[in-house]
Amino acid sequence: MPVCVTDIERVDERVVSLFQGAEVATIHEAQGRKGLLASYMKPIYRPAKIAGAAVTCEVAPNDNWMLHVAVEQCRPGDVLVVAPTSPCEDGYFGDLLATSLKARGVIGLIIDAGVRDTATLTEMGFPVWSKAVFSQGCVKETVANVNVPVVCAGALIKPGDLIVADEDGVVVVSRKEAEGVHIKMEARVANEETKRARFEAGELGLDIYDMRERLKEKGLRYVKTRQDI
Amino acid sequence: MPVCVTDIERVDERVVSLFQGAEVATIHEAQGRKGLLASYMKPIYRPAKIAGAAVTCEVAPNDNWMLHVAVEQCRPGDVLVVAPTSPCEDGYFGDLLATSLKARGVIGLIIDAGVRDTATLTEMGFPVWSKAVFSQGCVKETVANVNVPVVCAGALIKPGDLIVADEDGVVVVSRKEAEGVHIKMEARVANEETKRARFEAGELGLDIYDMRERLKEKGLRYVKTRQDI
Amino acid sequence: MPVCVTDIERVDERVVSLFQGAEVATIHEAQGRKGLLASYMKPIYRPAKIAGAAVTCEVAPNDNWMLHVAVEQCRPGDVLVVAPTSPCEDGYFGDLLATSLKARGVIGLIIDAGVRDTATLTEMGFPVWSKAVFSQGCVKETVANVNVPVVCAGALIKPGDLIVADEDGVVVVSRKEAEGVHIKMEARVANEETKRARFEAGELGLDIYDMRERLKEKGLRYVKTRQDI
Amino acid sequence: MPVCVTDIERVDERVVSLFQGAEVATIHEAQGRKGLLASYMKPIYRPAKIAGAAVTCEVAPNDNWMLHVAVEQCRPGDVLVVAPTSPCEDGYFGDLLATSLKARGVIGLIIDAGVRDTATLTEMGFPVWSKAVFSQGCVKETVANVNVPVVCAGALIKPGDLIVADEDGVVVVSRKEAEGVHIKMEARVANEETKRARFEAGELGLDIYDMRERLKEKGLRYVKTRQDI
Amino acid sequence: MPVCVTDIERVDERVVSLFQGAEVATIHEAQGRKGLLASYMKPIYRPAKIAGAAVTCEVAPNDNWMLHVAVEQCRPGDVLVVAPTSPCEDGYFGDLLATSLKARGVIGLIIDAGVRDTATLTEMGFPVWSKAVFSQGCVKETVANVNVPVVCAGALIKPGDLIVADEDGVVVVSRKEAEGVHIKMEARVANEETKRARFEAGELGLDIYDMRERLKEKGLRYVKTRQDI
Amino acid sequence: MPVCVTDIERVDERVVSLFQGAEVATIHEAQGRKGLLASYMKPIYRPAKIAGAAVTCEVAPNDNWMLHVAVEQCRPGDVLVVAPTSPCEDGYFGDLLATSLKARGVIGLIIDAGVRDTATLTEMGFPVWSKAVFSQGCVKETVANVNVPVVCAGALIKPGDLIVADEDGVVVVSRKEAEGVHIKMEARVANEETKRARFEAGELGLDIYDMRERLKEKGLRYVKTRQDI
């Protein structure tokens, strides 16, 4: 029987705030290259960047009924995550639902399906990452689970997990790991700043990362022309 | 033998004017969720929104000859609709043809294939909804039909039908049904405005649409935590 | 054994300069409709337009090690061309490598794979044409060839060839043929200007290209209505 | 409002019998290269070949309710044609529905969606051409039209039209045109037999179709080696 | 740090045996339409049907090193489940690894990537469900997790879960739920047998499922011809 | 101007004979993992295995005219390789052309496009590896090159190169490298036989390839349960 879980534990607000402005690519690296949603998840407008706690919502194909159930579970700062139980590109979400989410303080939508009214959503400044833009409407006939773990665009997302999305895509960070990931991310960003300065100064990755010897060991040969091969 | 039909009956200009500014998603709902073209049909630039009568043009794969035949059949306010007889992403259409269409007052192109010169088309302000952007040129060797019913991106389009396209995609409304669809659309828009106000005020869809009882009947249970399941 | 070829012959700088501002579609036509990369190659931002000599770089799937080898082979005005040895959409390239390329005067990247940090790349003004935007990081374990002929997005590209890319896509012109292609392109552009003026004046392609007789020969019939068929 | 049309006019049984054993490719050519369904329509087992009259059935995404309505409209020798109102690969059809169709003498199913129980369907000898094989089940909540014209896998199919399917795919022939198409097909087959004998005897298409002169006119040059170019 | 978990709890052998011969579609229905892998997962030969406990194996893109680690964790009756950490169609698995798995009593492979040597695998009678058949070889450079929960072809699979695969595709049943699912499945199968007999006898689903009244309520109208609409 | 090169140098017949029965995956490994065609290239029937010299044929999209030119250039033992100049899935090839090729002793077709009459081709025993099966016919209007280097399904193929195809796909071996590749392949096959015997005897790849130490160095940890992590 489908359930709606009401008392989920969210990633700490203070932790979320540490990730404001962070880049998806950096977070993904910092947590050991996991948690990335499929590359087909695209923002409907650019620039767009959000970080918040996941409220998860399963939906049947072509059926957006459960979105209304999920809305009630959302708090200010949340990100609504929608996963159909089989692949579907129909337009589950439009400007009315966005109005409702906005009224509740929700900061964005991640949906492994289609969305519509994108012009209005853009005007409203309500960011969405979706698999498709498609006007095909949905029915409201089938119940499904809200706030249970879902697989969304190939990634496992649990209610309360941290979601970060930007122009590169979407990444999920497990609620319990978020603070630790932030620490690794900070180290990473600091290291990248140092590297960037050296790259800007014209140094080569070959030298910065000390790669020349290892390339030679692996068999790379430098030749003047292909005739020298 | 291929034909070019010259005296097609167009959706009434007055009726077309009623659809100026209307949204594809709304029209699609208003006419009972039919007539939507496939979700891969994308505008080459944003924002973009048109409404007009269809001149339909079949083309052979990689052959854009019939576009020139179709141009002559176009009148101010028309939308040219191009459907290849087998799937093809080649670049059937570029800035010269756009110049020609613009000179005749055509307001946009819907093509289930590729288009090129998109930078120039954007500068010209000539909107195109296409399956692909691809520079691959076409030959001019095979004749096909102009102004017969075509299947374009999965939708049946008859010459003279109403075409509306915006950032969400493209919808066709049968010429004879257009006025009736407009009436339903108006009712729909009015209803949506009322709903929007309620959503903005923080009311929930669960209450606005009176869903709670029916969700319960269908078996949805609310639990505090997953342990309660 | 993999090699890095150091002394490649580049298309002449003077010839490259002739192609600045040229359109991919026009070049493709001028060289006999060859050399076009697949239609899935998209610029990460618009507008974007480059012309330069190719430095080619093979990479193993999910392995961006050789990019660092390739960077050293780049000179000001070059375009880096990256081709994985089997299909892969991982994010081979981000802002650090872009910083390195920019420091060497490289004007853009063509990659038949994924790219990340697109927001930063856009700010930096470093244009990329890629198959995907994806944050998935790469390892650095496998050596491959630099500056050998590669197949990139379906097109054969030799080191030193001319690469031109714009909002429509990417085209390669063989180093030896580039000057000849430019001559044909000039003729083509001049011809198009004349045609454009005639189209703007309302003339039809049917008359400009003298198509009416040949359409008749091929069997096209004009009828008033479908009942006349 | 959705309707189920009960008294459709079917292509004449005698005409259908003329197409038994005919090849999809030949029919498609004979009727002027139209009526072919998309190349993704595949038989679930091979060999498989059917010809019969279409009963058409619209279905909502993930909703197979209307199949039961359509079954009742089927007669011996019919082919059931199912078209979802938006793209869907769910498994609309399995062995129970096949048992029902078989009991009514239906000879096969054409479905622009998914099918399941393919092992049992193969044992039963009930042929299906589908877009996908997928076990995802459907709901029964939404009504749609039966026996109205549908767009199925890109082709317009009217109730009563002739459907022919084999290992190459599926073609529809308009009910009114079927007899005429058969005549052209016969001529075509006879011609092909003559050609086949000549090809078997080692004659070349270049000579059989008298192509050499025209190839020369179009500019084809024969050279011994690439150095001669 | 990557781990290999050695003492996983497997679904009980007795429970597995209850699922021998069961159909993926039936199991999927019985467990509430969840656990289905994506429709692109295809058996390399037909017929093929397996049921066993999952040993799960993460792999880096284009890197099959961890397969060797996973092999050691397999017991007779197990099914090896392989999930790349980003999408990849390379050929991770061929006849040597199959020989190794067979020697350990493993009954099949589920891989969300490519496989090769399919002719030999067919001769050996080692069944594989994969996303692709591709000869592209892999490196052995990157470690990843063995026997942790993975997302494979869109489904969450935990080590020790029950995997059932047949010609329709692949389904996972949670270890703890397997026995309960079997009970529901039995009831379902019994019910289907009764239904099948009625369908074979020519009864209609409309009557068997008592649908006529509800269709009428939902607005379906029966008309003789389209003129009656 | 398009050319047909008549005197191509073919890979030596004796060398071709060395590859009869060889597996695509083995050859691909032996030549350093290059030369593989895209994974979408599928045989129209199984089993199927060929090795022969390539005659290459460019074709325009939807235009199979040049196939007739190419047929004349074929000798017994050749493999015809067809590459469209832009992506196309139309049915370029059917039973008549197969009859013609068979009469000339050609042993198979590799085509990066569609093929039709697959039932007849199967009966004839003429193997084809193609991107699609599609009945859509072609025109004969545009000339293109025969026996020049082509990019086919992502691989560069020069006339006279060795083509080997089996149920896993298609690989090209450069004419000049073929003999050397064979030597490496032999060594590889011998090595594989030894390995296979060890795997059959139950030895693990971890030991056969001596991987345990290196896995440990890379950080892989063995734990009893996930609680131990």
Side-chain angles (χ1 to χ4, degrees), chain E residues 143-166:
Chain E
V143 291
N145 298 299
V146 169
N147 274 335
V148 304
V150 297
V151 173
C152 181
L156 179 68
I157 300 180
K158 301 183 297 299
D161 280 352
L162 171 67
I163 302 292
V164 183
D166 66 12

